[in-house]
Amino acid sequence: MKIAVLGGTFNPLHNGHVMIAESACEKLGYDKVLFVPSFMPPHKIMAAGMTAKDRLEMVQGFCEAEGNGRFFCESCEMERGGISYTCDTLEFILKKYKNELTGKLGFILGEESAAEFSKWKNPDRITEMADLVIAVRKQGEKRQSGDENVANTPLGNFTGDFSECFNKEKFGYPFIELQNPVLTISSSEIRELIAEEKLWEKYVPKSISDYIKERGLYGYR
């Protein structure tokens, strides 16, 4: 079985994530995509007012309700706690799924993450364990928000989502380019739309929308 990993804060998971996972299955032949919600991302401070439990339950609910048997939630980073490093996660997944994995594990990341991949912990080890699958994630003009409940804060020498341009010719690591549809919105923009009581439901799967409304997340009222 060909398995790919798609990690992220999923705050919230949106249709752009779903389209990337679907494209990995349909265009690259992956049989299973593991959605891995991070407990504490090493590259940014997440927007306030959201629990790890809620993010995990949203992803679990989506995979169970709308995954078509191909999407699964892997909770290892939540269970491990601390900073969620990809190299540690891939080590765990290779051991856990060794009896069903065929071929090399796939690791999906967006262009905005690939642009700063060389700054990650043990990038060479990551490429030994998994094929890098880089998804198109370019956006149009990004909405700006200074609200700490909406915007993420980059850490260290990381610049944050979409502010770095990905140059595939200068990337320096082997990778597979994923030809996926692009949803020109981010999780932070969705959080802002919810807080401003503007149209947002069309950007997320129904199970995610239902969860946000039931729990009153992101300022929904």
Side-chain angles (χ1 to χ4, degrees), residues 47-48 142-153 188 192 196:
K142 184 172 175 60
R143 293 159 56 93
Q144 299 294 326
S145 174
D147 187 343
E148 66 176 9
N149 293 307
V150 172
N152 296 318
T153 303
S188 61
E192 188 170 352
E196 294 174 353

Side-chain angles (χ1 to χ4, degrees), residues 8-10 38 40-46 152-155 158 160-161:
T9 55
F10 301 122
S38 59
M40 185 185 298
H43 310 145
K44 61 186 175 184
I45 298 173
M46 288 190 298
N152 296 318
T153 303
L155 287 173
F158 290 88
D161 292 349

Side-chain angles (χ1 to χ4, degrees), residues 43-44 112 115-116 119 152-165:
H43 310 145
K44 61 186 175 184
E112 79 286 0
E116 302 191 89
K119 303 175 188 177
N152 296 318
T153 303
L155 287 173
N157 63 341
F158 290 88
T159 59
D161 292 349
F162 306 107
S163 56
E164 288 276 351
C165 292

Side-chain angles (χ1 to χ4, degrees), residues 163-176:
S163 56
E164 288 276 351
C165 292
F166 173 62
N167 186 324
K168 61 184 178 181
E169 281 76 24
K170 296 182 179 180
F171 181 56
Y173 301 90
F175 71 96
I176 300 167

Side-chain angles (χ1 to χ4, degrees), residues 5-172:
V5 175
L6 178 59
T9 55
F10 301 122
N11 191 24
L13 183 149
H14 57 65
N15 289 333
H17 300 127
V18 179
M19 291 190 292
I20 288 171
E22 289 177 341
S23 296
C25 293
E26 294 167 4
K27 298 191 176 183
L28 299 179
Y30 287 103
D31 304 295
K32 177 185 290 189
V33 176
L34 303 177
F35 285 74
V36 185
S38 59
F39 179 73
M40 185 185 298
H43 310 145
K44 61 186 175 184
I45 298 173
M46 288 190 298
M50 186 64 173
T51 68
K53 180 176 181 290
D54 278 323
R55 291 188 294 108
L56 176 61
E57 288 184 352
M58 276 197 288
V59 176
Q60 288 174 330
F62 160 74
C63 290
E64 291 169 5
E66 305 180 54
N68 296 320
R70 299 186 299 186
F71 302 158
F72 298 84
C73 179
E74 172 52 66
S75 60
C76 62
E77 292 188 353
M78 292 290 186
E79 294 166 5
R80 187 167 69 234
I83 298 176
S84 302
Y85 289 114
T86 295
C87 56
D88 298 333
T89 298
L90 295 182
E91 292 270 11
F92 173 86
I93 287 173
L94 284 173
K95 292 178 182 176
K96 180 176 178 178
Y97 295 90
K98 63 181 179 181
N99 292 329
E100 58 182 290
L101 178 65
T102 57
K104 197 171 181 180
L105 189 68
F107 176 64
I108 305 169
L109 66 165
E111 289 178 319
E112 79 286 0
S113 296
E116 302 191 89
F117 179 72
S118 62
K119 303 175 188 177
W120 288 23
K121 180 182 177 182
N122 299 335
D124 292 319
R125 176 62 181 141
I126 292 173
T127 60
E128 289 174 5
M129 291 186 284
D131 287 327
L132 298 185
V133 177
I134 298 180
V136 180
R137 289 266 281 152
K138 274 184 185 171
Q139 298 195 342
E141 184 178 352
K142 184 172 175 60
R143 293 159 56 93
Q144 299 294 326
S145 174
D147 187 343
E148 66 176 9
N149 293 307
V150 172
N152 296 318
T153 303
L155 287 173
N157 63 341
F158 290 88
T159 59
D161 292 349
F162 306 107
S163 56
E164 288 276 351
C165 292
F166 173 62
N167 186 324
K168 61 184 178 181
E169 281 76 24
K170 296 182 179 180
F171 181 56

